[in-house]
Amino acid sequence: MSTDSGVRVGVLALQGDVREHLRALTECGASARAVRRPVELEQVDALVVPGGESTTISKLAVEFDLLEPIRKRISAGMPVYGSCAGMIMLAEEILDGRADQRAFAGIDMAVRRNAFGRQVDSFEAPVTIDGLGDPPFHAVFIRAPWVERVGDDVEVLGRVAAGAATGRIVAVRQGNLLATAFHPELTGDRRVHQLFVEMAAAAD
Ligand code: GLN
């Protein structure tokens, strides 16, 4: 399914699985492009923060002068979707983070880094996302965070539905900000990207 909205969606390209998100967004009808510099940020309507390593993305965001501009755009209502490390970057509170780790913040939640890693580094599990229908997502978790606290304004969209981590929150939305602990860009299931492109088009 494609919306052909042509909405300009950037993928923060400091580190992480940028190409997979660009492909997924393009397939959903967005005009997708990499964002590495403040001028490129100014040219997009919405932003994806990919999976990777949040401490590295944090450090590079400061070095590339993107931390404050992205925080400002978030305050001004820019839609942002964060996957895995990107979810961590959108959290108001990071548990098990590094002391000098910074976030773009915006979602009133506490996420714990590498939360599942105490049991197993990577795994796949079914996750039902509210509003995205059946079948459940085949969710891929790679040294993933989970959400330990959400504020009143945060909608919980998905929880792990099987295995040792059953019930853990792994998908949330607060206004124009969307985050998943898993990596939908690594599977062919485009429903999360489709939702985000629709959010971006609606905000445009
Ligand atoms: N463990 C990583 C972090 O803390 C996230 C892993 C991922 O994005 N796949 O940033």
Side-chain angles (χ1 to χ4, degrees):
M1 195 173 74
S2 159
T3 60
D4 284 326
S5 64
V7 64
R8 301 170 305 169
V9 182
V11 178
L12 185 64
L14 300 176
Q15 190 254 349
D17 62 339
V18 174
R19 260 184 317 171
E20 291 82 353
H21 280 288
L22 289 171
R23 183 179 317 129
L25 291 164
T26 302
E27 284 178 17
C28 293
S31 168
R33 72 275 309 268
V35 168
R36 262 182 221 92
R37 297 182 296 142
V39 64
E40 292 166 338
L41 178 68
E42 287 165 18
Q43 292 160 2
V44 297
D45 307 306
L47 187 69
V48 170
V49 184
E53 173 50 55
S54 59
T55 54
T56 306
I57 294 173
S58 158
K59 189 165 157 277
L60 293 175
V62 172
E63 276 175 25
F64 282 70
D65 290 325
L66 280 165
L67 189 88
E68 287 308 324
I70 290 174
R71 291 178 68 106
K72 279 205 187 100
R73 289 289 304 272
I74 288 174
S75 301
M78 175 176 69
V80 183
Y81 165 47
S83 160
C84 201
M87 170 184 253
I88 297 168
M89 291 301 296
L90 288 176
E92 294 283 346
E93 187 184 356
I94 300 171
L95 308 170
D96 290 340
R98 274 180 37 167
D100 60 350
Q101 181 165 3
R102 307 283 308 277
F104 303 132
I107 301 182
D108 182 11
M109 64 178 173
V111 300
R112 188 171 297 282
R113 285 181 63 225
N114 303 331
F116 298 96
R118 295 196 193 88
Q119 296 153 34
V120 56
D121 269 357
S122 301
F123 68 101
E124 299 176 16
V127 174
T128 301
I129 304 286
D130 278 5
L132 295 187
D134 281 330
F137 268 81
H138 180 74
V140 178
F141 295 90
I142 304 168
R143 294 183 62 75
W146 66 40
V147 180
E148 281 195 18
R149 177 191 65 76
V150 289
D152 291 343
D153 295 334
V154 178
E155 283 172 75
V156 173
L157 298 181
R159 296 175 189 265
V160 176
T166 296
R168 290 292 181 182
I169 298 170
V170 290
V172 295
R173 177 173 177 177
Q174 181 174 2
N176 279 336
L177 305 177
L178 178 69
T180 63
F182 57 93
H183 291 269
E185 73 282 6
L186 298 183
T187 64
D189 194 329
R190 298 296 184 228
R191 286 176 290 168
V192 170
H193 290 83
Q194 191 70 47
L195 168 66
F196 184 61
V197 170
E198 281 162 18
M199 285 167 60
D204 191 19

